[in-house]
Amino acid sequence: MSGEEVDAVVVGMGPGGEDVAGRLASAGLNVVGVDNRLLGGECPYYACIPTKMMVRGAESLAEARRVPRLAGEARVSPDWTPVADRIRDEATTDWDDRTAVERFEGTGGRFVRGFGRVTSPGEVTVSTSAGEQVFRAHRALVLNPGTEPAVPPIEGLAGTPFWTNREAVRARELPSSLVVLGCGPVGMEFAQVFARFGVATTAVESSPRLLPGTEPEASASITEVFTDEGITVRTGTSATRVHHDGDRFTLELGSGETLTAEQLLVTTGRHTNLPALGVGSLGLPENAETIDVDERMRAADGVWAVGDVTGHGAFTHTSIYQARIAAADILGSGEETADYRAEPAVTFTDPEVASVGMSESLARERGLPVRTAVAAIPSSPRGWIHKAGNDGLIKVVADTERDIPVGATVVAPLGGEVLGALAVAVHTQVHLAQLRRMILAYPTFHRTIETVLDQLAE
């Protein structure tokens, strides 16, 4: 089949793919962006943006319920409709990507909706509703395939009307009860949101603790919050069998416990189908979970990869960061290389759980001489003033040999914002002695950083 010659083809137009394609097109290259899903990827339609609208609504309910402890009386009547309407009308335009397509085409790029597969080096065959199209990129092939919800092979689960994040975001009505299977960041956010809207919620995590990827102190803090809010927590166990009788789900757990709920939300991870992408045609391993890239996002000769598929964190901000580096390398206009030592992550529960750099366990695994300190948010002046909803802590992991912070975790109201100062410190590798000379505004949550630094100095 004859193909069309272009400068660059970007397979997968999630945040990173869209960003690199737009940069290349704006620079004057003939760029084709390919995706069989909505342009913009998961983030604007099923993840970052709509879920934070859910979080905002749930937080407003929580604050109203705190009024009796702080300022009088308040009656709270949860209503999911304004949240669902805002997601449909403001965030996703009823899951229509025309505006995103027009924005990309405004850079000079061309969008082709279809499933793109690499069929030979530099060649992408796109299966569209009108048939197959072949594009040959003589300057760059960029892979940003994104991910799909990973559904575990639990007996009886297949064929039942369970939710993933996509169905949960589209929900117009909420169930009376819900089991959330998998308590990483996605599951945690949904669990708290739905519980605050009156859904009887149970959170199930196979690891020994919630948010298993974060510091144990952070996990313990948010677990206490969940329990206090009436969320049933089950850790160290997983579902072994699922049954749906037409009205309700029944889950049998490895612990021997049986759970029943009107709805089941599966948030047990994400996966990328590399064989379907055709990476074997590029000499890349198809049985791998990720695509190895160098510090300039190069995966092979003439091939770059960005986003979740690189294995450097399933974050929109990381994907866009990588896109900037890849685009500059393709254009020959930059010397920036990837540096992940200060990669931030935020779970938007209340309190938010935010981290940057290495955890204590990872630092020790890498053989670093470390010292840690933890300060409780409620014991700080701002925490004491805040009172209701003041749960949390700040933990810093320091390399004692170099006297620099290599990691930090913040659990606090607006913890993602508080993390900013620590992210800068980890990124710039500023000495702890220099940090201790800073003047931190009083009374703020981030002033608790001073308490942690004082402990590290002792």
Side-chain angles (χ1 to χ4, degrees), residues 269-315:
R270 315 277 303 180
H271 75 95
T272 299
N273 190 343
L274 290 184
L277 183 61
V279 297
S281 299
L282 301 169
L284 301 176
E286 291 189 335
N287 58 351
E289 292 294 325
T290 58
I291 295 175
D292 289 335
V293 295
D294 68 10
E295 70 279 4
R296 288 186 171 85
M297 305 300 114
R298 300 167 183 166
D301 186 28
V303 182
W304 288 257
V306 300
D308 301 6
V309 75
T310 66
H312 287 288
F315 310 119

Side-chain angles (χ1 to χ4, degrees), residues 221-246:
S221 179
I222 199 65
T223 299
E224 184 176 351
V225 170
F226 270 37
T227 302
D228 289 346
E229 292 192 6
I231 299 171
T232 301
V233 174
R234 296 289 182 266
T235 56
T237 188
S238 56
T240 57
R241 187 173 184 277
V242 174
H243 175 70
H244 188 260
D245 63 7

Side-chain angles (χ1 to χ4, degrees), residues 96-388:
D96 186 327
D97 65 351
R98 279 177 293 182
T99 298
V101 172
E102 290 171 359
R103 179 177 62 240
F104 170 59
E105 291 177 341
T107 67
R110 179 169 29 134
F111 179 61
V112 177
R113 195 180 305 280
F115 184 83
R117 176 179 173 83
V118 181
T119 42
S120 68
E123 180 183 274
V124 175
T125 300
V126 186
S127 298
T128 74
S129 58
E132 289 190 341
Q133 296 183 53
V134 178
F135 298 96
R136 294 191 178 91
H138 66 79
R139 186 160 177 177
L141 172 60
V142 182
L143 304 178
N144 176 228
T147 57
E148 299 284 339
V151 180
I154 300 171
E155 181 184 350
L157 179 61
T160 64
F162 65 88
W163 283 354
T164 66
N165 65 298
R166 295 174 181 175
E167 290 78 21
V169 164
R170 281 182 172 271
R172 297 292 306 173
E173 296 181 358
L174 298 185
S176 60
S177 54
L178 173 73
V179 173
V180 179
L181 198 60
C183 293
V186 175
M188 292 288 284
E189 291 176 9
F190 278 124
Q192 189 176 49
V193 164
F194 290 137
R196 287 180 165 183
F197 273 89
V199 179
T201 302
T202 300
V204 179
E205 169 56 44
S206 60
S207 299
R209 54 190 176 86
L210 301 180
L211 285 180
T214 192
E215 294 278 20
E217 296 90 342
S219 176
S221 179
I222 199 65
T223 299
E224 184 176 351
V225 170
F226 270 37
T227 302
D228 289 346
E229 292 192 6
I231 299 171
T232 301
V233 174
R234 296 289 182 266
T235 56
T237 188
S238 56
T240 57
R241 187 173 184 277
V242 174
H243 175 70
H244 188 260
D245 63 7
D247 294 310
R248 297 179 69 80
F249 283 88
T250 300
L251 280 76
E252 297 177 9
L253 303 184
S255 62
E257 184 179 5
T258 298
L259 303 175
T260 62
E262 183 181 343
Q263 188 53 258
L264 170 63
L265 173 58
V266 178
T267 55
T268 50
R270 315 277 303 180
H271 75 95
T272 299
N273 190 343
L274 290 184
L277 183 61
V279 297
S281 299
L282 301 169
L284 301 176
E286 291 189 335
N287 58 351
E289 292 294 325
T290 58
I291 295 175
D292 289 335
V293 295
D294 68 10
E295 70 279 4
R296 288 186 171 85
M297 305 300 114
R298 300 167 183 166
D301 186 28
V303 182
W304 288 257
V306 300
D308 301 6
V309 75
T310 66
H312 287 288
F315 310 119
T316 294
H317 48 267
T318 300
S319 186
I320 294 175
Y321 168 74
Q322 293 175 325
R324 182 180 75 223
I325 294 171
D329 192 48
I330 293 166
L331 295 170
S333 60
E335 294 299 323
E336 183 179 9
T337 57
D339 177 1
Y340 302 103
R341 69 171 176 266
E343 183 178 36
V346 184
T347 299
F348 291 88
T349 47
D350 177 19
E352 293 177 1
V353 181
S355 62
V356 64
M358 288 185 278
S359 64
E360 178 182 356
S361 63
L362 180 58
R364 294 190 186 281
E365 285 174 16
R366 294 188 177 179
L368 295 181
V370 300
R371 179 180 175 85
T372 66
V374 181
I377 293 294
S379 299
S380 69
R382 178 61 183 274
W384 180 78
I385 293 167
H386 200 75
K387 194 172 182 178

Side-chain angles (χ1 to χ4, degrees), residues 3-24:
E4 180 181 346
E5 301 291 330
V6 297
D7 292 322
V9 177
V10 179
V11 182
M13 292 289 283
E18 181 183 3
D19 188 86
V20 70
R23 289 174 184 270
L24 297 179

